[in-house]
Amino acid sequence: MEQLALYFVSPKCATKYFINHDFLDVDCGKELISKCLGYAIVVASCFVKFPQILKILSAGNAQGVSFLSQFLDVIACAANFTYCFIAQYPFSAYGDAVFNFLQTLTIAHLCVFYAKKPGQALLFSTACVNNCNIFVLRGSATGVSEGPKQFQYIHRDRC
């Protein structure tokens, strides 16, 4: 139970909750609410574009859907979640971007697929996923995870 609690609160708060039975600590309560809301947003994001995907599949075409718009959204989501993953943010902070990326990638894939270019659709989807893998592996190897600390110092110097 305590191991599961560490997904929602820090070890300090887990100690307060499970050992000291101090359920009224304000800081730990805020942390718990924040994490729960983050995970709720992640779960809800799984279904954001699902109706659009079903509509495209049932219609058998992607007429009226802008491929360029979907492509730019794929890039934005990929940049968001790869940076957050490399910077070692908690999944509750960026998990919605992962699911938004997958759903948007599916819509973009369907746009190309229904344009009678199934080979290009497969190539596009594979390239997007592989690029995310490369960014994650390269960023982890080059120490990009120090990024947030560097930005804090830059911001402090400007003020």
Side-chain angles (χ1 to χ4, degrees):
M1 184 68 169
E2 288 182 38
Q3 200 66 7
L4 179 64
L6 291 176
Y7 285 104
F8 295 96
V9 293
S10 65
K12 180 186 90 170
C13 289
T15 302
K16 284 188 179 187
Y17 284 150
F18 292 105
I19 295 174
N20 301 339
H21 302 293
D22 181 14
F23 298 108
L24 300 177
D25 186 89
V26 174
D27 290 333
C28 290
K30 288 179 182 178
E31 183 180 328
L32 179 63
I33 290 171
S34 174
K35 285 283 191 157
C36 287
L37 286 174
Y39 283 120
I41 290 170
V42 169
V43 169
S45 71
C46 293
F47 305 104
V48 169
K49 296 189 178 191
F50 195 67
Q52 186 177 12
I53 293 170
L54 290 178
K55 189 149 186 133
I56 292 171
L57 288 172
S58 68
N61 67 48
Q63 191 173 8
V65 179
S66 168
F67 173 75
L68 180 60
S69 172
Q70 299 304 314
F71 178 68
L72 292 174
D73 198 12
V74 164
I75 291 172
C77 291
N80 181 6
F81 86 78
T82 54
Y83 175 78
C84 291
F85 179 81
I86 291 167
Q88 298 175 349
Y89 290 149
F91 186 74
S92 61
Y94 69 90
D96 60 321
V98 174
F99 292 111
N100 196 8
F101 166 78
L102 293 173
Q103 293 172 35
T104 306
L105 181 62
T106 301
I107 293 169
H109 175 87
L110 291 173
C111 285
V112 178
F113 181 81
Y114 283 126
K116 308 291 188 235
K117 300 175 184 176
Q120 290 178 1
L122 182 62
L123 182 65
F124 169 74
S125 298
T126 305
C128 287
V129 171
N130 283 336
N131 281 334
C132 289
N133 288 334
I134 289 169
F135 291 142
V136 166
L137 293 174
R138 187 170 179 215
S140 298
T142 58
V144 174
S145 62
E146 298 298 320
K149 293 176 188 172
Q150 292 172 352
F151 290 134
Q152 290 173 359
Y153 294 123
I154 290 170
H155 180 69
R156 214 179 293 159
D157 291 341
R158 287 185 177 176
C159 293

